[in-house]
Amino acid sequence: MSGFSCEERAAPFSLEYRVFLKNEKGQYISPFHDIPIYSDKDVFHMVVEVPRWSNAKMEIATKDPLNPIKQDVKKGKLRYVANLFPYKGYIWNYGAIPQTWEDPGHNDKHTGCCGDNDPIDVCEIGSKVCARGEIIGVKVLGILAMIDEGETDWKVIAINVEDPDAANYNDINDVKRLKPGYLEATVDWFRRYKVPDGKPENEFAFNAEFKGPPRALAGPDISHFQLASGTAWVSLRPSFGTRRK
C-alpha cells in the first residue's frame, strides 16, 4: 500500500534479522502502534508478517523498540512451522491488524480463555503472494475462534481489497462457494500445526465454525479485542515501542 515502506536488516533466517517499517516521509514507525487500524470504510490495514507458502515463523516484536518484524525464537533456536501434508508452510498470507491486542487479562466469553497478548492475526486468502513487511488493505470475511494452549487466539479471514476477485468476496459463505475446501484446510492447519513440535492439537470455540459479517465486522471491538482506545491498551503502552499520541 502506498505511503509505507520497509527496510530489512541482517540476513533472513538469522537471529539478527529485522524488518523495520517507514512512513511516507521515510521516518521509522511502529507497525504495532503507528499504522491506523482502518485503511478505508470497512477496510482494515494488515501488516504481512509471513508470505504464503513460507515456513519461517515471523512476527511483530511487540516488546522491542519500533516493534520490527523478526523471526520467533524458542530456546535459542529460530522457529519454523512444519510442512503438514498436504500443505506447504503457511497456506495464506499471514499477519496482523495494527493497533489491536488480545488482552491476557480479559476472559473471552466465547472461548472461556484470556487473550494471547498479541495483535489480532489475519489470514489473507487472495491470489497474490505478499512480501514480508508489506502493508495491505483487507476486507474482513469472517473469524475463527482458536484456543491455543489455553489462550484465546482469534483468526480473521480476509481478502486484499486490490485482489482481482475481491469484489466477489463479501462474507464467509463466498469463501465456501469460491474456494471449496479452503476453510476446512484452514481449521485442519491450525489444529495440527504444533503437533510436529510435540504439542497437542489446538481447540476452537463455536465447534470450529467460522463466523461471518455482520458478526465478524463487530469482532475487532472491545467486546472481543482491546483496541488502541481501550483502557487496558493505554495502560500497557509505555512498556512497548514507539507510539503515536
Side-chain angles (χ1 to χ4, degrees):
M1 182 164 288
S2 62
F4 299 104
S5 61
C6 60
E7 176 184 299
E8 293 183 292
R9 295 186 186 177
F13 319 120
S14 69
L15 292 171
E16 298 76 24
Y17 179 72
R18 300 289 187 275
V19 179
F20 288 89
L21 275 292
K22 294 181 179 181
N23 62 17
E24 66 279 0
K25 297 180 180 179
Q27 299 168 325
Y28 290 104
I29 59 172
S30 163
F32 195 8
H33 299 293
D34 295 332
I35 297 172
I37 299 171
Y38 290 98
S39 167
D40 204 345
K41 186 179 184 296
D42 293 336
V43 177
F44 290 85
H45 274 127
M46 172 186 174
V47 180
V48 178
E49 298 166 310
V50 185
R52 187 167 62 244
W53 312 135
S54 62
N55 297 74
K57 192 177 187 304
M58 300 281 181
E59 57 186 27
I60 294 171
T62 58
K63 297 182 180 179
D64 290 4
L66 287 172
N67 312 122
I69 296 170
K70 68 178 182 181
Q71 190 165 353
D72 192 24
V73 176
K74 187 169 185 179
K75 296 182 179 179
K77 294 185 178 181
L78 296 168
R79 293 186 65 189
Y80 297 86
V81 298
N83 290 322
L84 292 171
F85 182 82
Y87 317 118
K88 168 64 176 74
Y90 288 76
I91 61 174
W92 347 255
N93 294 301
Y94 193 69
I97 299 176
Q99 296 193 29
T100 62
W101 172 68
E102 297 200 56
D103 186 359
H106 172 70
N107 190 291
D108 190 288
K109 64 182 181 181
H110 301 292
T111 64
C113 301
C114 294
D116 68 352
N117 203 28
D118 282 324
I120 301 169
D121 297 320
V122 185
C123 303
E124 193 281 315
I125 66 169
S127 57
K128 176 186 175 182
V129 176
C130 295
R132 188 179 304 119
E134 188 173 352
I135 309 300
I136 61 174
V138 296
K139 181 196 303 185
V140 170
L141 305 173
I143 51 175
L144 176 68
M146 189 174 85
I147 302 170
D148 186 350
E149 297 185 43
E151 296 178 329
T152 300
D153 192 2
W154 289 91
K155 306 299 181 184
V156 173
I157 307 301
I159 189 167
N160 189 337
V161 293
E162 296 184 358
D163 189 273
D165 293 327
N168 297 322
Y169 289 86
N170 294 294
D171 61 30
I172 205 69
N173 291 319
D174 292 328
V175 183
K176 295 176 182 177
R177 177 173 58 88
L178 298 171
K179 289 181 179 285
Y182 202 9
L183 296 178
E184 291 82 356
T186 294
V187 171
D188 184 46
W189 193 97
F190 278 123
R191 189 188 303 278
R192 298 192 294 122
Y193 83 102
K194 288 188 174 182
V195 172
D197 296 327
K199 295 184 178 181
E201 292 184 348
N202 286 319
E203 300 177 334
F204 304 87
F206 305 119
N207 295 317
E209 294 179 3
F210 290 83
K211 299 299 178 181
R215 188 166 193 167
L217 286 175
D221 200 307
I222 293 299
S223 61
H224 288 176
F225 315 109
Q226 293 291 340
L227 302 185
S229 58
T231 55
W233 173 271
V234 173
S235 67
L236 277 175
R237 275 178 165 176
S239 68
F240 292 112
T242 60
R243 61 183 176 88
R244 179 173 298 164
K245 295 183 179 179

